[in-house]
């Protein structure tokens, strides 16, 4: 954390004066298209160790105290009329704090939490159903996140799974406050696994912690083998990746080597499972892996 | 879309700092936004003008410093910007791995008018 702050302070040397940055975002998730910043000169290196685990979760607000004692920020007055206040606060810190609270609450109840992410149509619900079919030892609970409708919730309830629907009414991801409210409405009385199916979206869900133990990404061969290169954050943040619809490979030009090279560059150790939601192929192995992790995490209950 | 609640949060943080300092009005808010943070500066700007109305941030100038994402080479340690459809190091060609550079999303500082509250 102090490395982060040190880096930031050095960085501030470039940013002291208010200035504007005409800016064009070709693809904000990848930084791989377009020339966003041809007219600005912030090519600073950031050569400090910058490897803390929790991408957005770092809580600058709490960590900055050793460096910023109260009132210190007021030293940099620009003039009698204006005063500069150092803030250095991660804008997602509040979401991160709530996510930590959700995680603690679930842990206390013996619940292992899996955040299921993937594009619309990747087969998140179908994969979830296959996982539930194969689950042997732990009680499943589900929170379904959708912009609208409760189609998936109805399907899961018919299977006898305790399922709660969240409709975000347009919002593109679930965030920690939504989950904190949702779990307060669920009994979660037995040790088990809470599956949270996030909004179908390969971008935003990766940015928000919701208190999960594991982010499970459902990718598909039909989306194309370039997805790790175009949506790197989702692949970088995943703790497990299912490559769904492998039964369709004979009909596609899916370049598995290119796809896997992208995943490995972003995430060297993430387990990758080839599955077919349609046939059920591969899910036995997925569930054995999930259950062993969940058993370890909830063993004390 | 998701910049709306985030912009509310930015204004809440700025209001808190302004209050703590006993100041009344915010003239400028300076953000650092990594291109891989998932938040779009232009969108924050649009919401900022609307949401700040009636708050101490009304009329404040929002400045955004963008940070390009960088990978670190696993072989030579170079920090580099990736080329499209590649993670290869621009120095030696080995694979780069993700870093936190480009994922920043924080308020760096604000500029306020000192005093101006009741005790002014």
């Amino acid at each position: 954390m102090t490395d982060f702050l040190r880096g930031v302070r050095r960085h501030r040397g470039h940013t002291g004066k208010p200035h504007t940055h005409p800016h064009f975002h070709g693809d904000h998730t990848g930084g791989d298209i377009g020339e966003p910043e041809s007219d600005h000169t912030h090519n600073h290196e950031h050569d400090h160790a910058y490897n803390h685990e929790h991408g957005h979760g770092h809580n600058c607000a709490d960590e900055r105290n050793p460096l910023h004692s109260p009132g210190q920020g007021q030293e940099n007055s620009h003039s009698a009329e204006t005063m500069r206040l150092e803030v250095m606060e991660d804008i997602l810190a509040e979401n991160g704090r709530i996510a930590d609270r959700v995680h603690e609450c679930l842990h206390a109840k013996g619940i292992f939490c899996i955040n299921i992410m993937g594009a619309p149509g990747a087969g998140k619900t179908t994969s979830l159903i296959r996982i539930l079919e194969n689950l042997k030892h732990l009680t499943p609970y589900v929170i379904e996140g959708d912009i609208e409708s409760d189609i998936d919730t109805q399907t899961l309830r018919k299977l006898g799974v305790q399922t709660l629907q969240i409709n975000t009414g347009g919002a593109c991801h679930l965030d920690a406050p939504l989950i904190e409210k949702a779990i307060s409405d669920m009994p979660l009385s037995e040790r088990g696994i809470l599956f949270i199916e996030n909004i179908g979206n390969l971008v935003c869900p990766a940015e928000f912690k919701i208190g999960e133990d594991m982010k499970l990404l459902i990718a598909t061969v039909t989306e194309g083998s370039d997805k790790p290169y175009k949506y790197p954050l989702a692949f970088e943040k995943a703790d497990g990746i299912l490559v769904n619809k492998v039964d369709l490979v004979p009909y596609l030009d899916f370049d598995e080597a290119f796809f896997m090279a992208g995943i490995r560059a972003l995430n060297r150790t993430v387990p990758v499972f080839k599955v077919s939601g349609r046939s059920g192929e591969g899910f036995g192995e997925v569930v054995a892996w999930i259950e062993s992790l969940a058993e370890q995490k909830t063993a004390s209950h | 879309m998701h910049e709306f609640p985030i912009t509310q949060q930015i204004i809440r943080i700025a209001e808190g700092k302004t209050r703590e300092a006993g100041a009344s009005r915010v003239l400028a808010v300076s953000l650092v936004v990594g291109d891989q943070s998932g938040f779009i500066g232009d969108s924050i700007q649009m919401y900022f003008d609307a949401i700040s109305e009636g708050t101490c941030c009304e009329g404040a100038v929002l400045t955004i410093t963008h940070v390009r994402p960088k990978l670190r080479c696993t072989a030579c340690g170079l920090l580099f910007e990736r080329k499209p459809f590649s993670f290869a190091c621009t120095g030696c060609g080995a694979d780069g791995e993700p870093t936190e550079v480009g994922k920043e999303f924080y308020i760096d500082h604000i500029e306020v008018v000192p005093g101006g509250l009741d005790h002014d």
Side-chain angles (χ1 to χ4, degrees):
Chain A
M1 282 306 171
T2 43
D3 284 335
F4 170 68
L5 285 168
R6 218 172 285 137
V8 162
R9 300 185 109 201
R10 193 181 315 160
H11 173 102
R12 193 180 307 134
H14 303 265
T15 62
K17 290 192 184 127
H19 44 260
T20 56
H21 295 280
H23 192 77
F24 170 74
H25 278 276
D27 175 355
H28 73 280
T29 64
D32 54 4
I33 304 176
E35 265 305 310
E37 283 161 313
S38 52
D39 49 6
H40 110 45
T41 53
H42 290 272
N43 284 325
H44 35 266
E45 272 298 303
H46 283 285
D47 55 345
H48 47 281
Y50 220 13
N51 282 329
H52 46 91
E53 275 290 301
H54 306 282
H56 293 297
H58 46 246
N59 186 344
C60 306
D62 294 341
E63 296 287 337
R64 72 179 193 277
N65 289 336
L67 292 171
H68 291 250
S69 56
Q72 184 185 346
Q74 297 170 27
E75 289 167 6
N76 295 332
S77 296
H78 281 193
S79 69
E81 289 80 38
T82 73
M83 179 167 73
R84 178 181 158 123
L85 303 175
E86 303 302 326
V87 180
M88 304 304 300
E89 181 155 342
D90 187 326
I91 298 157
L92 295 178
E94 181 63 16
N95 185 74
R97 278 190 284 271
I98 297 170
D100 291 344
R101 212 152 67 201
V102 168
H103 185 260
E104 276 166 33
C105 170
L106 291 173
H107 187 72
K109 290 170 185 276
I111 305 288
F112 185 79
C113 180
I114 302 180
N115 179 1
I116 301 178
M117 311 184 300
K124 290 182 295 303
T125 310
T126 306
S127 296
L128 176 55
I129 289 169
R130 291 297 188 189
I131 289 170
L132 296 174
E133 285 170 357
N134 283 274
L135 209 59
K136 291 188 182 71
H137 307 297
L138 293 163
T139 305
Y141 305 93
V142 176
I143 294 175
E144 273 292 328
D146 285 293
I147 288 179
E148 284 185 39
S149 92
D150 63 348
I151 296 169
D152 296 338
T153 293
Q154 296 302 341
T155 308
L156 289 159
R157 282 186 185 152
K158 277 182 200 149
L159 298 172
V161 180
Q162 288 185 51
T163 306
L164 189 103
Q165 179 74 48
I166 296 178
N167 283 132
T168 60
C172 46
H173 61 273
L174 297 174
D175 61 16
L178 279 172
I179 299 303
E180 185 170 52
K181 178 164 186 320
I183 62 169
S184 72
D185 295 336
M186 297 179 87
L188 302 173
S189 49
E190 287 172 53
R191 186 162 82 102
I193 303 179
L194 172 61
F195 297 92
I196 302 177
E197 185 179 333
N198 218 311
I199 310 296
N201 181 334
L202 207 46
V203 185
C204 316
E207 295 152 18
F208 290 83
K209 290 202 298 178
I210 54 175
E212 71 274 47
D213 293 283
M214 175 203 290
K215 285 183 164 75
L216 186 65
L217 177 66
I218 316 290
T220 63
V221 293
T222 48
E223 288 164 274
S225 36
D226 58 1
K227 288 302 158 292
Y229 302 84
K230 288 187 161 182
Y231 300 88
L233 195 66
F235 289 87
E236 180 186 329
K237 296 281 180 192
D239 302 298
I241 298 176
L242 307 192
V243 186
N244 193 16
K245 311 192 188 185
V246 289
D247 50 313
L248 295 177
V249 165
Y251 307 98
L252 305 166
D253 298 319
F254 184 73
D255 184 344
E256 186 180 334
F258 182 60
F259 181 74
M260 285 307 300
I263 291 179
R264 284 294 164 240
L266 290 162
N267 197 330
R268 211 171 298 175
T269 56
V270 63
V272 179
F273 300 90
K274 294 184 197 175
V275 298
S276 163
R278 188 149 190 259
S279 71
E281 174 192 342
F283 281 97
E285 206 188 326
V286 171
V287 172
W289 172 70
I290 288 175
E291 282 207 309
S292 74
L293 287 177
E295 289 278 5
Q296 283 170 28
K297 280 269 185 148
T298 61
S300 56
H301 288 264
Chain B
M1 178 74 201
H2 75 202
E3 279 78 3
F4 181 83
I6 279 307
T7 309
Q8 289 176 312
Q9 182 65 16
I10 291 168
I11 290 169
R12 266 198 295 274
I13 293 169
E15 282 178 325
K17 290 287 165 190
T18 305
R19 213 168 25 241
E20 268 173 40
S24 57
R25 203 157 74 81
V26 180
L27 299 173
V29 176
S30 169
L31 304 183
V32 177
V33 182
D35 282 1
Q36 215 180 58
S37 69
F39 296 94
I40 301 179
D42 290 347
S43 182
I44 295 172
Q45 179 80 62
M46 181 185 82
Y47 287 123
F48 186 84
D49 295 339
I51 300 172
S52 63
E53 240 175 75
T55 74
C56 63
C57 294
E58 183 170 345
V61 177
L62 187 66
T63 61
I64 298 174
T65 301
H66 294 277
V67 183
R68 296 289 304 256
K70 289 204 170 152
L71 302 183
R72 183 184 299 281
C73 177
T74 52
C76 73
L78 181 74
L79 270 174
F80 63 96
E81 283 183 25
R82 55 180 278 242
K83 298 206 170 98
F85 301 107
S86 166
F87 295 103
C89 172
T90 48
C92 73
D95 265 345
E97 61 186 2
T99 65
E100 295 302 311
V101 180
K103 298 190 181 78
E104 298 82 353
F105 192 51
Y106 61 90
I107 304 181
D108 185 84
H109 67 273
I110 59 177
E111 282 168 39
V112 297
V113 180
L117 289 180
D118 295 338
H119 53 78
D120 193 14

